[in-house]
Amino acid sequence: MKTYLNKGRNRTLQMAALTTSLLLSSVAFAGEVTLKSADGTVDLKGELVEFKDDNYVIRTALGELAISSSRVRCEGASCPTFDTVATDVHFYGSEAVGLGVMPLLLSGYAANMNAEIEINETQNEDETLAKLVADNGFGDEIGSFLVTSTASNDAFDALLNDDAAIGMSSRRITPAEARALRAAGKGNMISIDQEHILAVDSLVIIVNPDNGVETVSIEDLKGIYSGAITNWSQLGGADMPIQVVSCEEGTGTFEVFQNRIFGKDAHSAPEGAIVENDSNKVAAFVNETPGAIGYVGYAFQRGAKPLNLVNECGITSTPDPFSAKTEEYALQRRMYLYNTENPAPKISDFISYATSDAADGVIAKAGFIDLGIISREQALDSPRAASLLNADVDAFEGNVIREMLAEMTKYDRLSTTFRFNLGSSQLDPRGLEDMKRLANYLADMPKGRGGPTFLTSQQPV
């Protein structure tokens, strides 16, 4: 039996109606409601008396209290319902992108335009509305931006149905989704003008901080998430049952994990697994449960213990920004923004900012891994060097390897890694973006600095 910690989150896609304000559409008063804020500072129960001037008025043991609707979300059958909020640009899709990076990214966008930003929750779960006003709040309104965070699958449905201007996804669009959008006249979704890599991310394997295990392999994860490995003692740890925590099917995080661990063989979470669709709750459960193991995006570790990961080649990788930027970490994904053909100026302006060097600091601050270039020394004690030095090769090849590693220690390695389709000289979309960033990086390099070294890779993309 699987346990679902948070059911009922998937919602019907809602059209962002061009209204001028939040409009009360129906009210069922005289019932108990709960008012909650996202930061946990407000959690009140009482009888709803009225909704007036954007305030909830509830009757409690302390008397009648009025709470601004911008601070709390109403829960309960007696809560008033609202028409969809006004918006110029509607983002829809991945909760990893929507909850993890979009609030700070919109704030950075506002700062880049010398605008004032006001961000409030709407009455819908995991939905926020940002309003930008020019000249630091003294000018005209630039626009309103609604962010609805659900799952990556929803991003493409929303684009197809004209329910969103920008789709957020923690996985790449599938061929079937791209064909459906093309057939609907939405353009070529994998063109550089419509598919945008916002950041890269590592799916981090997390365990309770008191767990003594430090490293896990791809094969170990396959055993754990298929139910073949059930106790930490089987992995060199304590004699303690493994409590598997998995993400809900349909989320980008689940699909990336399943595809990387099980390939084309569809595999549900094992019997007794906890299934969750909120990365924050995955991390919270793992932190509270000694035998738990889960997987979350890099930005959602929340104090849980990350495990090193051994890939099929026997190379151990740490889930850090450098291994994510090089895309050599075994559980790697890209975070995407998608728009349809011929986007409005406000859409193009935001995407131009979000994918520029100016947004790198904001993305990093949000806990994600930006596309900015960093360098690292080529140390002989690195996992990659160690795997080569310990390789089972003849004396001649061993000597060549040692000479190569000794030469590489004279240079730093850049995180930029160019990949090509097999038998092709055409760079993948990430490579095209990195080429521009590399040019800027070299142009800004101080005079007298030694030339960088690069790794190029011929592999399917």
Side-chain angles (χ1 to χ4, degrees):
M1 176 180 178
K2 305 184 189 72
T3 303
Y4 289 78
L5 295 181
N6 184 22
K7 294 183 71 176
R9 171 152 159 224
N10 290 335
R11 294 166 288 164
T12 302
L13 296 179
Q14 300 173 338
M15 179 64 182
L18 295 178
T19 56
T20 57
S21 63
L22 278 171
L23 299 178
L24 190 64
S25 61
S26 66
V27 184
F29 294 152
E32 187 176 79
V33 299
T34 302
L35 303 180
K36 291 183 178 181
S37 63
D39 59 8
T41 58
V42 179
D43 190 348
L44 296 171
K45 289 185 178 181
E47 181 184 348
L48 180 64
V49 176
E50 63 177 341
F51 183 84
K52 183 179 180 181
D53 299 328
D54 289 332
N55 289 306
Y56 294 104
V57 180
I58 62 172
R59 185 177 292 117
T60 71
L62 301 175
E64 290 189 358
L65 301 175
I67 308 293
S68 171
S69 63
S70 66
R71 294 191 58 202
V72 295
R73 182 175 67 252
C74 185
E75 297 180 355
S78 296
C79 290
T81 58
F82 301 87
D83 289 341
T84 308
V85 296
T87 182
D88 294 308
V89 179
H90 192 179
F91 301 81
Y92 214 113
S94 166
E95 57 95 15
V97 179
L99 297 180
V101 71
M102 287 308 300
L104 278 175
L105 194 59
L106 283 166
S107 296
Y109 178 55
N112 194 59
M113 301 177 70
N114 294 318
E116 180 181 83
I117 186 170
E118 177 184 348
I119 301 180
N120 292 306
E121 291 185 333
T122 74
Q123 297 309 303
N124 294 321
E125 185 181 7
D126 294 336
E127 188 171 81
T128 56
L129 178 67
K131 293 184 178 180
L132 276 64
V133 180
D135 296 330
N136 294 310
F138 292 94
D140 297 329
E141 183 173 312
I142 295 174
S144 55
F145 301 79
L146 181 67
V147 182
T148 303
S149 304
T150 58
S152 294
N153 288 354
D154 294 336
F156 307 109
D157 289 337
L159 290 171
L160 183 64
N161 297 323
D162 295 324
D163 291 333
I166 297 177
M168 306 176 294
S169 181
S170 57
R171 62 164 175 81
R172 197 180 191 198
I173 190 172
T174 66
E177 290 164 337
R179 285 193 293 269
L181 283 158
R182 181 192 286 270
K186 309 300 183 183
N188 179 7
M189 299 305 296
I190 60 170
S191 75
I192 195 170
D193 297 321
Q194 294 183 235
E195 180 182 60
H196 313 279
I197 301 171
L198 178 66
V200 290
D201 192 23
S202 300
L203 288 191
V204 182
I205 307 303
I206 55 172
V207 296
N208 187 274
D210 294 331
N211 195 316
V213 174
E214 302 290 337
T215 302
V216 68
S217 70
I218 294 293
E219 284 302 310
D220 292 336
L221 291 175
K222 186 179 295 185
I224 291 170
Y225 277 85
S226 67
I229 297 176
T230 59
N231 195 290
W232 285 108
S233 62
Q234 295 173 261
L235 300 176
D239 184 7
M240 178 171 54
I242 296 175
Q243 175 59 68
V244 173
V245 186
S246 182
C247 291
E248 190 170 53
E249 294 185 29
T251 62
T253 303
F254 173 86
E255 293 184 14
V256 170
F257 181 84
Q258 290 290 312
N259 290 338
R260 188 64 187 85
I261 300 301
F262 295 104
K264 296 181 180 180
D265 299 328
H267 207 286
S268 299
E271 197 72 15
I274 297 295
V275 179
E276 180 53 82
N277 60 10
D278 185 318
S279 296
N280 286 312
K281 292 183 179 180
V282 171
F285 184 86
V286 170
N287 273 315
E288 295 167 359
T289 310
I293 184 171
Y295 54 93
V296 295
Y298 183 83
F300 295 92
Q301 299 175 55
R302 305 294 188 256
K305 177 181 175 179
L307 296 184
N308 296 325
L309 190 59
V310 182
N311 66 17
E312 293 90 337
C313 298
I315 298 175
T316 302
S317 297
T318 301
D320 59 18
F322 191 87
S323 64
K325 287 172 183 280
T326 61
E327 298 190 315
E328 292 175 350
Y329 180 72
L331 285 176
Q332 187 69 43
R333 65 176 174 178
R334 297 172 177 180
M335 318 300 283
Y336 294 91
L337 297 179
Y338 288 91
N339 60 266
T340 53
E341 199 171 38
N342 301 318
K346 287 179 181 177
I347 299 169
S348 297
D349 289 346
F350 175 81
I351 288 178
S352 293
Y353 165 76
T355 55
S356 71
D357 295 348
D360 286 347
V362 175
I363 292 171
K365 186 176 180 180
F368 283 80
I369 301 166
D370 61 80
L371 301 182
I373 299 172
I374 56 177
S375 63
R376 172 176 286 182
E377 292 182 354
Q378 298 297 289
L380 287 175
D381 59 354
S382 68
R384 180 174 291 275
S387 66
L388 289 171
L389 288 171
N390 296 327
D392 185 16
V393 296
D394 61 34
F396 175 78
E397 289 181 339
N399 186 54
V400 172
I401 289 173
R402 286 189 291 274
E403 289 180 356
M404 178 194 70
L405 291 175
E407 185 66 22
M408 288 177 63
T409 59
K410 302 175 184 178
Y411 301 92
D412 291 346
R413 179 187 172 186
L414 298 185
S415 58
T416 308
T417 304
F418 294 109
R419 291 177 168 83
F420 303 82
N421 291 313
L422 284 174
S424 171
S425 60
Q426 182 177 357
L427 285 170
D428 73 342
R430 168 76 190 277
L432 294 173
E433 180 62 33
D434 280 348
M435 187 68 75
K436 294 185 291 185
R437 287 176 174 265
L438 179 60
N440 293 336
Y441 180 88
L442 295 176
D444 294 338
M445 184 177 289
K447 291 183 178 180
R449 176 79 185 271
T453 59
F454 309 107
L455 170 70
T456 59
S457 175
Q458 278 270 345
Q459 66 180 66
V461 293

